Amino acid sequence: LVSPLVSLLNEVWLRQRADLFHACLEASGNGVILVDACSDDMPIVYVNPAFSRLTGYSLNEVYGRNCRFLQGGDRKQPGVDQLRMALRTGASTTVQLRNYRRDGSWFWNELQVSPIHSASQQITHYVGVMNDVSARMEAESVLAYRTGHDGLTGLPNFEKFRSRLTEACNESRHHRHSVALTLLNLDNFKAINATYGMGSGDELLKAVVT
């Protein structure tokens, strides 16, 4: 009598745990995607509501498809090769990919991929956690641009210029060709600022650049 009771309690506990895990996935604010690693082309078998809100695709629309459709025609991204390598080797990885929503708009997806193993240590599935990091990537891009460019003219600043000149010199030595460097100077620029004000000098610089 004890053994069937224990078995029943274990079954109930496992079912409750599975229900709890499913509820957690459904409530998650991050997109979650599950693919079948044992089937050809690793088809999608589950996506949570956050995935649908992020991409515009429902589970019925993506079920059985490979995740690559989210990349659209944009498949020559560094993150794609990194992801393929992780899937081939059964490793976990985190990549940034340009993914495309159902309406055609794109976003930066920070995708964390991990393998799921069976009791015999066979990889049966991969789970991916998606996070829209477009705002962060845009901020980093703006910061990188401002770090390397003059705020007034948009030209590379001295540090960027020195870096590019070093690269050009190294390349010229490697290929054995010359590098030409032109220096421009605006005569009496201080007089323009002194006569018409700093704003006039700024406008002149921008006019020369364009």
Side-chain angles (χ1 to χ4, degrees):
L1 294 176
V2 176
S3 181
L5 179 59
V6 172
S7 178
L8 178 60
L9 290 174
N10 285 336
E11 182 179 343
V12 171
W13 179 76
L14 289 173
R15 185 164 56 247
Q16 289 177 340
R17 189 174 68 167
D19 290 342
L20 177 60
F21 286 167
H22 183 262
C24 290
L25 291 174
E26 293 287 292
S28 173
N30 295 107
V32 178
I33 184 168
L34 188 67
V35 303
D36 184 353
C38 298
S39 298
D40 292 340
D41 211 25
M42 295 190 182
I44 297 170
V45 295
Y46 169 81
V47 295
N48 70 343
F51 170 93
S52 298
R53 290 193 297 270
L54 177 58
T55 66
Y57 290 101
S58 67
L59 174 58
N60 289 337
E61 291 175 303
V62 302
Y63 187 87
R65 301 177 68 178
N66 184 279
C67 297
R68 72 174 66 92
F69 82 91
L70 290 171
Q71 299 158 19
D74 194 3
R75 297 182 183 173
K76 293 184 178 180
Q77 307 178 47
V80 172
D81 291 335
Q82 182 181 338
L83 178 58
R84 287 172 179 167
M85 178 62 68
L87 295 177
R88 281 197 297 267
T89 59
S92 298
T93 191
T94 300
V95 297
Q96 283 79 38
L97 297 171
R98 284 183 299 273
N99 278 175
Y100 292 81
R101 301 183 178 91
R102 193 174 187 274
D103 63 6
S105 63
W106 68 272
F107 65 97
W108 280 110
N109 173 25
E110 184 173 79
L111 177 64
Q112 302 174 31
V113 177
S114 300
I116 298 176
H117 297 84
S118 67
S120 61
Q121 294 305 303
Q122 177 187 3
I123 296 177
T124 60
H125 297 80
Y126 281 94
V127 60
V129 179
M130 303 171 61
N131 187 25
D132 184 351
V133 293
S134 301
R136 189 191 76 193
M137 297 289 284
E138 177 65 22
E140 291 176 355
S141 176
V142 170
L143 179 60
Y145 180 85
R146 290 178 176 174
T147 300
H149 292 78
D150 177 69
L152 175 65
T153 63
L155 291 175
N157 60 19
F158 180 74
E159 291 300 323
K160 177 70 78 171
F161 163 75
R162 185 169 62 178
S163 174
R164 289 184 177 179
L165 181 60
T166 300
E167 291 176 3
C169 291
N170 291 337
E171 184 178 349
S172 70
R173 284 193 292 268
H174 179 72
H175 296 286
R176 296 185 178 181
H177 58 66
S178 300
V179 174
L181 180 63
T182 302
L183 178 64
L184 300 178
N185 185 48
L186 298 179
D187 292 337
N188 301 317
F189 184 73
K190 290 184 178 180
I192 294 174
N193 281 331
T195 304
Y196 301 102
M198 294 292 293
S200 298
D202 291 346
E203 290 302 317
L204 176 60
L205 285 175
K206 289 189 286 186
V208 171
V209 169
T210 56

PDB file of all heavy atoms in Angstrom, residues 1-12:
ATOM      1  N   LEU A   1       0.819  -1.211   0.000  1.00  0.00           N
ATOM      2  CA  LEU A   1       0.000   0.000   0.000  1.00  0.00           C
ATOM      3  C   LEU A   1       0.856   1.267   0.000  1.00  0.00           C
ATOM      4  O   LEU A   1       0.469   2.287  -0.529  1.00  0.00           O
ATOM      5  CB  LEU A   1      -0.928  -0.005   1.205  1.00  0.00           C
ATOM      6  CG  LEU A   1      -2.013  -1.097   1.229  1.00  0.00           C
ATOM      7  CD1 LEU A   1      -2.800  -1.022   2.537  1.00  0.00           C
ATOM      8  CD2 LEU A   1      -2.950  -0.946   0.042  1.00  0.00           C
ATOM      9  N   VAL A   2       2.016   1.163   0.626  1.00  0.00           N
ATOM     10  CA  VAL A   2       2.870   2.354   0.742  1.00  0.00           C
ATOM     11  C   VAL A   2       3.470   2.733  -0.608  1.00  0.00           C
ATOM     12  O   VAL A   2       3.493   3.899  -0.990  1.00  0.00           O
ATOM     13  CB  VAL A   2       3.979   2.120   1.780  1.00  0.00           C
ATOM     14  CG1 VAL A   2       4.915   3.314   1.820  1.00  0.00           C
ATOM     15  CG2 VAL A   2       3.370   1.863   3.145  1.00  0.00           C
ATOM     16  N   SER A   3       3.955   1.736  -1.333  1.00  0.00           N
ATOM     17  CA  SER A   3       4.635   2.000  -2.602  1.00  0.00           C
ATOM     18  C   SER A   3       3.739   2.702  -3.618  1.00  0.00           C
ATOM     19  O   SER A   3       4.144   3.703  -4.208  1.00  0.00           O
ATOM     20  CB  SER A   3       5.186   0.697  -3.182  1.00  0.00           C
ATOM     21  OG  SER A   3       5.861   0.939  -4.391  1.00  0.00           O
ATOM     22  N   PRO A   4       2.508   2.237  -3.874  1.00  0.00           N
ATOM     23  CA  PRO A   4       1.627   2.967  -4.806  1.00  0.00           C
ATOM     24  C   PRO A   4       1.333   4.385  -4.339  1.00  0.00           C
ATOM     25  O   PRO A   4       1.238   5.308  -5.154  1.00  0.00           O
ATOM     26  CB  PRO A   4       0.360   2.119  -4.829  1.00  0.00           C
ATOM     27  CG  PRO A   4       0.802   0.767  -4.434  1.00  0.00           C
ATOM     28  CD  PRO A   4       1.898   0.982  -3.448  1.00  0.00           C
ATOM     29  N   LEU A   5       1.212   4.577  -3.033  1.00  0.00           N
ATOM     30  CA  LEU A   5       0.945   5.913  -2.501  1.00  0.00           C
ATOM     31  C   LEU A   5       2.118   6.845  -2.749  1.00  0.00           C
ATOM     32  O   LEU A   5       1.961   7.999  -3.171  1.00  0.00           O
ATOM     33  CB  LEU A   5       0.635   5.839  -1.007  1.00  0.00           C
ATOM     34  CG  LEU A   5       0.366   7.188  -0.308  1.00  0.00           C
ATOM     35  CD1 LEU A   5      -0.819   7.903  -0.961  1.00  0.00           C
ATOM     36  CD2 LEU A   5       0.133   6.974   1.181  1.00  0.00           C
ATOM     37  N   VAL A   6       3.327   6.344  -2.486  1.00  0.00           N
ATOM     38  CA  VAL A   6       4.532   7.143  -2.739  1.00  0.00           C
ATOM     39  C   VAL A   6       4.643   7.476  -4.218  1.00  0.00           C
ATOM     40  O   VAL A   6       4.978   8.604  -4.600  1.00  0.00           O
ATOM     41  CB  VAL A   6       5.783   6.398  -2.247  1.00  0.00           C
ATOM     42  CG1 VAL A   6       7.050   7.134  -2.699  1.00  0.00           C
ATOM     43  CG2 VAL A   6       5.765   6.260  -0.733  1.00  0.00           C
ATOM     44  N   SER A   7       4.362   6.493  -5.044  1.00  0.00           N
ATOM     45  CA  SER A   7       4.421   6.711  -6.490  1.00  0.00           C
ATOM     46  C   SER A   7       3.432   7.779  -6.931  1.00  0.00           C
ATOM     47  O   SER A   7       3.742   8.645  -7.748  1.00  0.00           O
ATOM     48  CB  SER A   7       4.136   5.399  -7.224  1.00  0.00           C
ATOM     49  OG  SER A   7       4.144   5.602  -8.620  1.00  0.00           O
ATOM     50  N   LEU A   8       2.213   7.722  -6.356  1.00  0.00           N
ATOM     51  CA  LEU A   8       1.195   8.712  -6.697  1.00  0.00           C
ATOM     52  C   LEU A   8       1.606  10.104  -6.241  1.00  0.00           C
ATOM     53  O   LEU A   8       1.443  11.092  -6.968  1.00  0.00           O
ATOM     54  CB  LEU A   8      -0.140   8.317  -6.058  1.00  0.00           C
ATOM     55  CG  LEU A   8      -1.309   9.287  -6.275  1.00  0.00           C
ATOM     56  CD1 LEU A   8      -1.594   9.438  -7.760  1.00  0.00           C
ATOM     57  CD2 LEU A   8      -2.536   8.809  -5.515  1.00  0.00           C
ATOM     58  N   LEU A   9       2.168  10.194  -5.024  1.00  0.00           N
ATOM     59  CA  LEU A   9       2.609  11.496  -4.513  1.00  0.00           C
ATOM     60  C   LEU A   9       3.725  12.079  -5.372  1.00  0.00           C
ATOM     61  O   LEU A   9       3.762  13.286  -5.632  1.00  0.00           O
ATOM     62  CB  LEU A   9       3.068  11.352  -3.061  1.00  0.00           C
ATOM     63  CG  LEU A   9       1.972  11.086  -2.032  1.00  0.00           C
ATOM     64  CD1 LEU A   9       2.592  10.828  -0.660  1.00  0.00           C
ATOM     65  CD2 LEU A   9       0.989  12.245  -1.959  1.00  0.00           C
ATOM     66  N   ASN A  10       4.649  11.210  -5.796  1.00  0.00           N
ATOM     67  CA  ASN A  10       5.738  11.665  -6.668  1.00  0.00           C
ATOM     68  C   ASN A  10       5.191  12.178  -7.992  1.00  0.00           C
ATOM     69  O   ASN A  10       5.657  13.189  -8.527  1.00  0.00           O
ATOM     70  CB  ASN A  10       6.728  10.537  -6.921  1.00  0.00           C
ATOM     71  CG  ASN A  10       7.618  10.267  -5.724  1.00  0.00           C
ATOM     72  OD1 ASN A  10       7.823  11.145  -4.890  1.00  0.00           O
ATOM     73  ND2 ASN A  10       8.148   9.048  -5.632  1.00  0.00           N
ATOM     74  N   GLU A  11       4.204  11.476  -8.518  1.00  0.00           N
ATOM     75  CA  GLU A  11       3.604  11.889  -9.792  1.00  0.00           C
ATOM     76  C   GLU A  11       2.923  13.248  -9.652  1.00  0.00           C
ATOM     77  O   GLU A  11       3.053  14.114 -10.521  1.00  0.00           O
ATOM     78  CB  GLU A  11       2.603  10.836 -10.247  1.00  0.00           C
ATOM     79  CG  GLU A  11       1.966  11.151 -11.596  1.00  0.00           C
ATOM     80  CD  GLU A  11       0.987  10.075 -12.041  1.00  0.00           C
ATOM     81  OE1 GLU A  11       1.032   8.961 -11.491  1.00  0.00           O
ATOM     82  OE2 GLU A  11       0.182  10.378 -12.938  1.00  0.00           O
ATOM     83  N   VAL A  12       2.197  13.417  -8.538  1.00  0.00           N
ATOM     84  CA  VAL A  12       1.529  14.699  -8.290  1.00  0.00           C
ATOM     85  C   VAL A  12       2.556  15.811  -8.132  1.00  0.00           C
ATOM     86  O   VAL A  12       2.394  16.916  -8.669  1.00  0.00           O
ATOM     87  CB  VAL A  12       0.634  14.593  -7.036  1.00  0.00           C
ATOM     88  CG1 VAL A  12       0.116  15.982  -6.641  1.00  0.00           C
ATOM     89  CG2 VAL A  12      -0.523  13.642  -7.285  1.00  0.00           C
TER      90      VAL A  12
END
